[in-house]
Amino acid sequence: MKVRILVRLKPGVLDPQGRAVHHSLDGMGFEGVEDVRIGRMIEMDVADGTSDEALNSMCEKLLANMVIENFTIEKLETAGAA
Amino acid sequence: MGFRAAVITFPGSNCDRDMACALELVSGTAPIRVWHGDAELPENLDFIALPGGFSYGDYLRSGAMAANSPIMRSVIAAATRGVPVLGVCNGFQVLTESGLLPGALMRNASQNFICRTVPLIAENTQSTFTHAYAGKGTVHIPVAHHDGNYFADEETLDRIEGDGRVAFRYTEPCNGSRRDIAGVLSAGGNVLGMMPHPERAVEDAQGGTDGRFLFESAIAALV
């Protein structure tokens, strides 16, 4: 099973990288960019049947820092499934 | 027996030797060097130091992988028993990632790596690590980091301020840290994380000796 995890900064946590990228986009002449937030995407191949509990635990203990980040878990198609 | 300290080396640590030299210089006893993959710490330690550097290449988040390395289980157990644990720079990041200290170290607000000597005050001069700073006023210790921007929610900040757990504060904005916090103590007071490098300010050749007070504090408190 493929799993895609998106880790994002919590709302309200200042994102210096996003701000710098926003600034660069403005400087390049792109108009209408109102905000930029940078997160992280992690794709994993895990055994079919890996529990939600296990996936949550991986995120809470390592993949995200719950002080500053939230995560979402998206299960993609099981390899070989129709 | 002398001051029995251990310095932990993770893959990518680069201030471990400086830390060991500073501990030996101030205590007179060379610390034991411990590798991250070791499962157990030496017994009867007086002090554990997590040095600066870029453990695991700062992959994922600074300190995140080191916080889950085998030796950290023993470090957490020792900290829980009350053994003094000092984390400097990347060591501070490891301590927050491991949950031994509150908050998180984010990318500097300026986005720049900051490498200079900064003015600090020891806000708490009662702790194991800081009592020798009493009456010293503003001191100067180098920082060298990209991810030193201390973050915690307001409730946590109020709590640690109220409990005297802000050990060091920058006297001028440095890296975007909430409330200019440079170093934080655990609830029990035996774990200190700080971004400035006291081990880089222990002898005159380094340009200053204000870091010495930290090691002198810890040694005086224990021997």
Side-chain angles (χ1 to χ4, degrees):
Chain A
M1 172 170 68
K2 279 199 185 300
V3 175
R4 182 177 294 155
I5 292 161
L6 293 177
V7 179
R8 304 165 216 250
L9 284 174
K10 288 180 178 175
V13 175
L14 182 71
D15 177 3
Q17 295 184 75
R19 199 174 52 175
V21 169
H22 188 179
H23 185 74
S24 286
L25 289 170
D26 286 347
M28 292 163 74
F30 291 105
E31 292 176 4
V33 179
E34 291 175 2
D35 193 22
V36 179
R37 306 278 287 173
I38 293 178
R40 184 187 302 117
M41 183 185 75
I42 299 163
E43 285 186 339
M44 300 195 296
D45 287 315
V46 299
D48 290 352
T50 301
S51 69
D52 290 353
E53 190 183 5
L55 293 170
N56 274 309
S57 184
M58 291 177 205
C59 290
E60 289 168 1
K61 290 182 178 170
L62 181 64
L63 302 178
N65 179 334
M66 302 307 292
V67 175
I68 49 174
E69 294 169 332
N70 288 327
F71 63 87
T72 56
I73 298 172
E74 183 186 0
K75 292 179 187 167
L76 307 178
E77 292 168 46
T78 302
Chain B
M1 199 172 78
F3 183 69
R4 193 170 154 84
V7 177
I8 315 291
T9 299
F10 300 99
S13 295
N14 63 10
C15 302
D16 44 339
R17 186 174 183 281
D18 291 32
M19 181 65 79
C21 289
L23 282 164
E24 181 170 3
L25 181 76
V26 182
S27 74
T29 307
I32 302 160
R33 306 291 294 271
V34 178
W35 181 239
H36 74 108
D38 294 346
E40 297 295 330
L41 286 165
E43 291 186 348
N44 303 316
L45 290 174
D46 294 319
F47 191 88
I48 300 167
L50 306 184
F54 300 85
S55 57
Y56 297 85
D58 278 351
Y59 294 165
L60 193 63
R61 292 178 310 275
S62 302
M65 249 93 74
N68 291 286
S69 65
I71 198 64
M72 280 307 294
R73 284 191 284 276
S74 297
V75 172
I76 291 166
T80 306
R81 290 197 305 274
V83 177
V85 178
L86 169 68
V88 170
C89 200
N90 189 224
F92 186 10
Q93 294 158 350
V94 174
L95 290 172
T96 57
E97 283 284 346
S98 70
L100 283 171
L101 291 174
L105 281 313
M106 299 183 61
R107 182 53 45 101
N108 294 340
S110 66
Q111 288 286 301
N112 295 317
F113 192 96
I114 300 171
C115 187
R116 60 187 165 88
T117 297
V118 299
L120 299 170
I121 47 169
E123 286 283 2
N124 175 334
T125 54
Q126 310 288 314
S127 81
T128 299
F129 304 94
T130 58
H131 59 88
Y133 285 98
K136 296 292 191 297
T138 301
V139 295
H140 296 84
I141 298 181
V143 296
H145 60 248
H146 213 160
D147 296 322
N149 179 355
Y150 185 74
F151 176 89
D153 59 41
E154 288 296 313
E155 187 186 335
T156 303
L157 291 168
D158 287 343
R159 190 177 73 242
I160 63 175
E161 295 258 22
D163 291 345
R165 290 171 56 190
V166 175
F168 292 99
R169 200 187 308 270
Y170 307 108
T171 61
E172 54 194 49
C174 174
N175 51 23
S177 288
R178 290 286 173 107
R179 304 190 192 183
D180 293 325
I181 289 171
V184 174
L185 291 158
S186 62
N190 66 304
V191 179
L192 169 65
M194 61 192 291
M195 291 313 297
H197 286 268
E199 79 282 6
R200 294 190 190 180
V202 292
E203 51 190 326
D204 289 331
Q206 293 171 311
T209 59
D210 286 344
R212 235 188 133 96
F213 301 124
L214 187 137
F215 299 104
E216 288 174 354
S217 296
I219 292 160
L222 293 160
V223 173

